[in-house]
Amino acid sequence: IALFRCMNTVILTNIITPFTHTLGDGPRDLLPTINAVLFAEMLVTPALRLMDLYGNFRKHVLAPRARTQELMNLNFTGTIYNLGERYTDFTKVMFLVVYYSSMNPSSFFFGSAILLIQYYSDKVCLMRIWARAPLLGTKLSEVCRRYVFSTAILIMAIVSSRAWAQFPFDNICDHTNPSGGYAGNYHVILADGSGKQKI
């Protein structure tokens, strides 16, 4: 499920965005879309988790209508959660941040805010909303620390080296005429203050 979420959030967003809309400011360009995904992860996801709509429905609608005390008590047991799903959310945010960090360095600040908000919202949910989970070992955290972090750093190195070495997003060269020349008009101001029009 972690691979599926990372593919949908990170890679698929990059694939479906046209190349010329990578660094634009429009609402359908890549960077505003990534910022919208990060903003939604920061506010919407923890808010929905804290509202616990299904748990409140069970407590306020189903519990008073239960026929026996035992059935009513089952509606107050808390919402069932999965620790693997929480790690999946964590790795999705981490991969999203490191994949687009070379084009959008502010994603590191978004990512740290997201993880901080997720930490405190999960802490509240764990203490007040969620049902008691079975005791688990440390295998999941060891796998995450050993393999997921290393993979994230490797992906960040590969994507950042491509973006910085080639910087294919400036579109200053005319791709229809590969023999040379620039596309459009550019006004160049030299260090001595004189300006020159380049066509």
Side-chain angles (χ1 to χ4, degrees):
I1 191 168
L3 182 64
F4 179 73
R5 284 188 178 185
C6 289
M7 288 297 289
N8 276 347
T9 308
V10 180
I11 305 297
L12 195 62
T13 308
N14 194 10
I15 290 172
I16 64 173
T17 305
F19 181 74
T20 56
H21 295 281
T22 302
L23 295 180
D25 291 335
R28 293 192 177 198
D29 293 337
L30 183 64
L31 293 184
T33 303
I34 296 304
N35 286 335
V37 170
L38 288 170
F39 189 72
E41 284 291 326
M42 184 168 42
L43 296 179
V44 175
T45 306
L48 288 174
R49 198 172 298 125
L50 288 172
M51 283 193 294
D52 189 31
L53 298 175
Y54 180 66
N56 284 323
F57 175 75
R58 286 178 57 201
K59 291 173 188 172
H60 298 291
V61 176
L62 297 180
R65 290 161 180 78
R67 295 187 181 264
T68 63
Q69 183 68 39
E70 290 81 16
L71 290 175
M72 186 181 82
N73 290 345
L74 287 176
N75 288 316
F76 288 97
T77 56
T79 305
I80 297 170
Y81 75 99
N82 185 357
L83 188 61
E85 189 264 335
R86 299 305 315 126
Y87 267 99
T88 302
D89 279 350
F90 167 72
T91 56
K92 177 181 67 171
V93 169
M94 190 178 62
F95 276 116
L96 184 67
V97 166
V98 299
Y99 190 85
Y100 293 108
S101 64
S102 61
M103 293 180 282
N104 189 11
S106 66
S107 65
F108 283 119
F109 296 110
F110 270 119
S112 62
I114 290 167
L115 295 178
L116 184 69
I117 290 170
Q118 281 186 357
Y119 169 75
Y120 282 109
S121 67
D122 286 351
K123 186 176 179 180
V124 168
C125 289
L126 188 63
M127 298 295 168
R128 301 285 179 184
I129 297 172
W130 291 338
R132 184 177 293 221
L135 295 176
L136 299 172
T138 60
K139 186 71 174 165
L140 185 61
S141 62
E142 289 173 5
V143 168
C144 188
R145 185 177 61 241
R146 189 170 293 157
Y147 299 111
V148 175
F149 292 159
S150 304
T151 306
I153 297 300
L154 181 67
I155 287 173
M156 184 176 73
I158 291 168
V159 172
S160 297
S161 66
R162 178 185 175 269
W164 290 331
Q166 299 172 358
F167 200 74
F169 309 112
D170 59 358
N171 295 329
I172 195 169
C173 295
D174 187 9
H175 62 280
T176 58
N177 184 11
S179 62
Y182 298 102
N185 297 329
Y186 296 93
H187 185 68
V188 178
I189 299 175
L190 302 176
D192 61 357
S194 63
K196 181 173 148 180
Q197 188 77 18
K198 178 72 175 175
I199 299 175

